[in-house]
Amino acid sequence: MTVTGVRATARIVARDDGRGGTSLPVLEGAGPLALRRTRGSGAAARVMVVGAMSGPLGGDRFGIEARVEEGARLWVGSAAATIALPGQGKDEARYDVRLEVADGGELHWLPEQLISAKGSDLRVSTRVDVGIRGRLVLREEQVLGRVGEEPGRLGSRLTVRVAGRAVLDQELACGPGAPGGWDGPAVLAGHRAVGQLIVVRPEFGVQSPAARMLGECAALTPLAGPAVLVSAVAGDALRLRRVLDEALGQLGG
């Protein structure tokens, strides 16, 4: 079988440096995924993912792996939105994210939006494993099409496990070729931006926030573990970010 597209996996390891801060013994960019450490404050290390080229294109296989060890704190963001674009071939592109947070570790995973451009075909998979005393803030935002443009095909799966137990496993498929109804009233209802916010904290295992609506198009749902899920849809990326930021603020940042 002919292999098409770019293969690249970037890796991060965050470790308690023993002096009240966090070191990064592994910070390896790959291909179009460049990693840059930025100035942080307090005990946390901060890393930006910088796209060194366009993509993912059809046939590309991108991945990011991050491990936060006990006592370490890591914030990861991205310098710009990721845009899924059509490639020369018809192969599906993949973007796989694998995150691990040890007991006593803390990870804030806050990338910019993923934009599904017309003609693209991308499958995104995010899998997170959190220790029983680990902490996580994860934001995922997807925008269907650029301004005035129909979306490409986008499939995503988000799986979160705490202490080896699955607390969330959900999939969404949108765009041409997706199962019927994805744009109907039971799913996106005509909106073009969809996002999730996952917050895992040990104290939620004792007292979790109550389920409630956050305006017309967002909801907070306690999960079966020390975690909560905020799901939201919006007309555009700016409104979606505002809703998720307000929800995070209500949960204590």
Side-chain angles (χ1 to χ4, degrees):
M1 183 176 70
T2 302
V3 177
T4 63
V6 176
R7 269 58 176 164
T9 300
R11 295 178 175 86
I12 308 169
V13 174
R15 180 173 297 162
D16 183 352
D17 66 5
R19 303 187 302 274
T22 298
S23 64
L24 299 173
V26 177
L27 188 65
E28 299 176 353
L33 302 173
L35 302 178
R36 300 287 183 265
R37 181 165 189 171
T38 61
R39 181 173 298 177
S41 60
R46 296 179 181 268
V47 173
M48 296 295 290
V49 181
V50 181
M53 58 184 285
S54 298
L57 308 176
D60 288 350
R61 300 290 187 270
F62 292 177
I64 299 182
E65 299 173 357
R67 186 173 80 248
V68 181
E69 298 182 355
E70 183 175 359
R73 300 178 64 188
L74 176 65
W75 268 252
V76 179
S78 57
T82 297
I83 305 178
L85 296 165
Q88 293 183 342
K90 297 184 179 299
D91 293 342
E92 173 189 75
R94 292 194 61 92
Y95 203 131
D96 297 316
V97 177
R98 301 291 180 260
L99 310 175
E100 181 182 347
V101 185
D103 285 353
E106 181 174 349
L107 172 63
H108 288 234
W109 188 263
L110 302 169
E112 294 302 308
Q113 300 90 354
L114 168 64
I115 301 173
S116 174
K118 183 177 180 180
S120 64
D121 186 357
L122 175 64
R123 176 71 178 176
V124 181
S125 172
T126 302
R127 188 177 69 212
V128 191
D129 284 279
V130 185
I132 190 63
R133 294 182 295 108
R135 294 175 173 268
L136 171 72
V137 175
L138 181 147
R139 183 183 67 214
E140 184 176 84
E141 300 168 311
Q142 297 162 353
V143 180
L144 306 181
R146 292 169 291 193
V147 176
E149 176 185 70
E150 290 299 311
R153 181 172 182 174
L154 176 63
S156 65
R157 182 174 182 178
L158 173 60
T159 306
V160 180
R161 299 192 302 178
V162 179
R165 178 186 179 188
V167 298
L168 178 69
D169 191 347
Q170 68 176 26
E171 292 191 64
L172 178 65
C174 305
W182 66 270
D183 202 22
V187 188
L188 297 186
H191 294 92
R192 282 296 179 262
V194 56
Q196 292 76 232
L197 177 72
I198 308 292
V199 181
V200 178
R201 293 179 183 154
E203 55 266 32
F204 287 169
V206 178
Q207 184 175 2
S208 183
R212 62 184 184 271
M213 294 298 296
L214 303 173
E216 291 186 10
C217 299
L220 184 152
T221 306
L223 301 176
V228 297
L229 167 67
V230 176
S231 301
V233 295
D236 56 47
L238 182 61
R239 295 175 191 174
L240 178 65
R241 175 66 59 84
R242 186 180 301 124
V243 169
L244 295 180
D245 282 350
E246 289 176 355
L248 184 57
Q250 292 180 28
L251 290 169

